[in-house]
Amino acid sequence: MTKNILIAPLNWGLGHATRCIPIIRVLEHYGFTPVLASDGEALQLLQKEFPHLPFVTLPSYDIEYAKEGSDFKWKLIKNSPKMIQAIFEEKKMVKKLTREWDLKGIISDNRLGVYSKKVPSVFITHQLNVLSGKTTWISSKLHQYFIKKFTECWIPDMKNKPNLTGKLGHLKNSDLPLKYLGPLSRLEKRETAKHYELMVILSGPEPQRTLLEEKLIIELQRYNGSVIFIKGKVAPQQTQETIGHITYYNFMTSDEIEQAYNESEMVLCRSGYTTVMDLAKLQKNAFFIPTPGQFEQEYLAKRFQRNGYAPFAEQEHFRIENLLEMGLYKGLPQLTETVNWKQLFILFEGK
């Protein structure tokens, strides 16, 4: 009997989709059939990683960043009617999919409407608290309200200290059904010759992804070392271009990114949480440029600098000379947690 599990990451950058990759692999190992469900680049990425798996296209939240970081929250508020409509539409779709695919379970990575009262439903998030400036209390309570609709909530971090998420992924008192998995990464650390002094890896919604790409291309002209630059633009075909000391790729598969990380001395990137988990797993020294106006990334970058793990700079103030600061930091902590996936997946066995 086919044991179908709907796995649905939010299409907000590529991080939600990439951190679902190790879960999809383990689901297949234990005899489940993951049904991929998302939209846009997140779905395209999963289709490239798992071309043999069935997929469905969910409604788009149409999340878009403001050009100015200070306008980020107001842009989200302006777009909230479209997001709410998408959540209602995906709820209706999930009812239909649960019946048509005879689903045994659902795993939603931050898609608020992807759950069912008829089958066990899991919500994956590293943000039990959603930082939003003066409205943090409201946004956090609202997020927790949605989490309560799910059977369980899985947090990809350590339950105790040291951990990566700090106050984002930890509550002092909570009646939520929380399970801590430890950091999730699709990548493995390998001993290999170093081919690049610097790896640049970008992700995230537009227009901020493009704005940072354009800035870094200019800044890197003053950098003398070899650079691999992964733009994070998923497309039907991979493109590669070498200009001087920089080799550009539009995107890479998991195997290719793993090799690029292992062949690079240091990494310049956003402080998105999936990237953070990869860096911790691979023990790579990093310099962070948080997405302007995204409170979560700004919080993580400041926390890592304060703890002596990694330096950061605001996007508008970053200069390539800032990379010299990396020698003053010790790198992210190496955190290991052995996940008992078999025990977790009992939830989907009806036992």
Side-chain angles (χ1 to χ4, degrees), residues 265-276:
E265 292 285 353
M266 52 189 179
V267 182
L268 175 60
C269 55
R270 294 291 194 196
S271 47
Y273 187 60
T274 300
T275 302
V276 166

Side-chain angles (χ1 to χ4, degrees), residues 7-21 24 35-51 53-63 109-111 186 203-205 232-235 251-252 254 274:
I7 185 154
L10 181 64
N11 180 34
W12 185 332
L14 298 176
H16 296 283
T18 53
R19 74 184 182 190
C20 284
I21 289 173
I24 294 169
V35 179
L36 312 177
S38 190
D39 66 284
E41 289 192 340
L43 181 58
Q44 291 175 43
L45 176 71
L46 292 182
Q47 287 177 283
K48 288 181 180 297
E49 295 286 336
F50 305 99
L53 290 179
F55 70 92
V56 294
T57 303
L58 295 178
S60 174
Y61 282 30
D62 283 331
I63 298 168
D109 190 323
N110 274 264
R111 294 195 80 112
R186 56 183 167 153
S203 181
K233 297 171 67 176
V234 180
F251 73 93
M252 282 186 168
S254 292
T274 300

Side-chain angles (χ1 to χ4, degrees), residues 20 26 78 95 105 112-113 145 162 169 172 220 223 262 270 315:
C20 284
V26 180
K78 182 180 177 182
K95 283 185 179 180
L112 300 175
Y145 166 78
K172 290 184 179 179
L220 286 167
Y223 186 78
N262 282 299
R270 294 291 194 196
Q315 185 166 303

Side-chain angles (χ1 to χ4, degrees), residues 100-319:
E100 290 181 351
W101 285 90
D102 188 25
L103 296 178
K104 303 304 178 188
I106 292 170
I107 299 176
S108 166
D109 190 323
N110 274 264
R111 294 195 80 112
L112 300 175
V114 180
Y115 65 91
S116 172
K117 294 179 180 179
K118 295 187 176 182
V119 298
S121 302
V122 171
F123 191 75
I124 297 178
T125 186
H126 64 279
Q127 296 184 80
L128 300 174
N129 287 308
V130 179
L131 306 186
S132 58
K134 293 179 180 178
T135 56
T136 290
W137 185 86
I138 297 171
S139 56
S140 297
K141 289 298 181 184
L142 183 61
H143 201 224
Q144 292 162 26
Y145 166 78
F146 276 103
I147 293 173
K148 285 182 179 179
K149 296 180 179 294
F150 290 77
T151 314
E152 290 182 356
C153 177
W154 295 352
I155 300 101
D157 194 13
M158 309 299 286
K159 183 176 182 179
N160 302 309
K161 295 181 179 179
N163 58 63
L164 296 176
T165 59
K167 67 182 179 182
L168 291 177
H170 299 82
L171 299 173
K172 290 184 179 179
N173 296 296
S174 175
D175 58 354
L176 294 173
L178 307 178
K179 291 191 175 179
Y180 287 84
L181 308 182
L184 287 176
S185 176
R186 56 183 167 153
L187 309 177
E188 295 293 337
K189 182 176 175 63
R190 305 191 189 284
E191 293 301 325
T192 181
K194 297 297 182 283
H195 294 163
Y196 306 100
E197 289 188 28
L198 179 66
M199 174 179 175
V200 178
I201 182 165
L202 303 184
S203 181
E206 299 293 1
Q208 288 297 339
R209 192 214 60 78
T210 294
L211 291 174
L212 182 56
E213 176 190 326
E214 292 171 348
K215 180 183 180 72
L216 292 182
I217 288 173
I218 294 171
E219 287 293 324
L220 286 167
Q221 300 311 308
R222 302 201 313 279
Y223 186 78
N224 294 324
S226 55
V227 181
I228 183 169
F229 194 126
I230 305 161
K231 298 180 179 181
K233 297 171 67 176
V234 180
Q237 298 294 326
Q238 184 185 71
T239 61
Q240 175 189 350
E241 182 182 23
T242 299
I243 303 176
H245 60 295
I246 307 174
T247 301
Y248 296 94
Y249 289 85
N250 55 346
F251 73 93
M252 282 186 168
T253 64
S254 292
D255 289 344
E256 291 168 334
I257 283 183
E258 179 178 277
Q259 182 173 345
Y261 265 118
N262 282 299
E263 291 179 347
S264 302
E265 292 285 353
M266 52 189 179
V267 182
L268 175 60
C269 55
R270 294 291 194 196
S271 47
Y273 187 60
T274 300
T275 302
V276 166
M277 290 191 290
D278 288 341
L279 291 165
K281 175 80 171 288
L282 300 176
Q283 287 294 282
K284 286 293 174 182
N285 290 329
F287 192 103
F288 292 117
I289 304 177
T291 301
Q294 190 169 340
F295 292 94
E296 168 221 353
Q297 289 196 16
E298 291 170 348
Y299 165 77
L300 288 173
K302 289 175 183 177
R303 181 173 185 264
F304 296 148
Q305 185 179 71
R306 186 172 63 249
N307 290 337
Y309 296 154
F312 85 97
E314 295 177 353
Q315 185 166 303
E316 65 176 313
H317 296 139
F318 175 77
R319 297 294 179 268

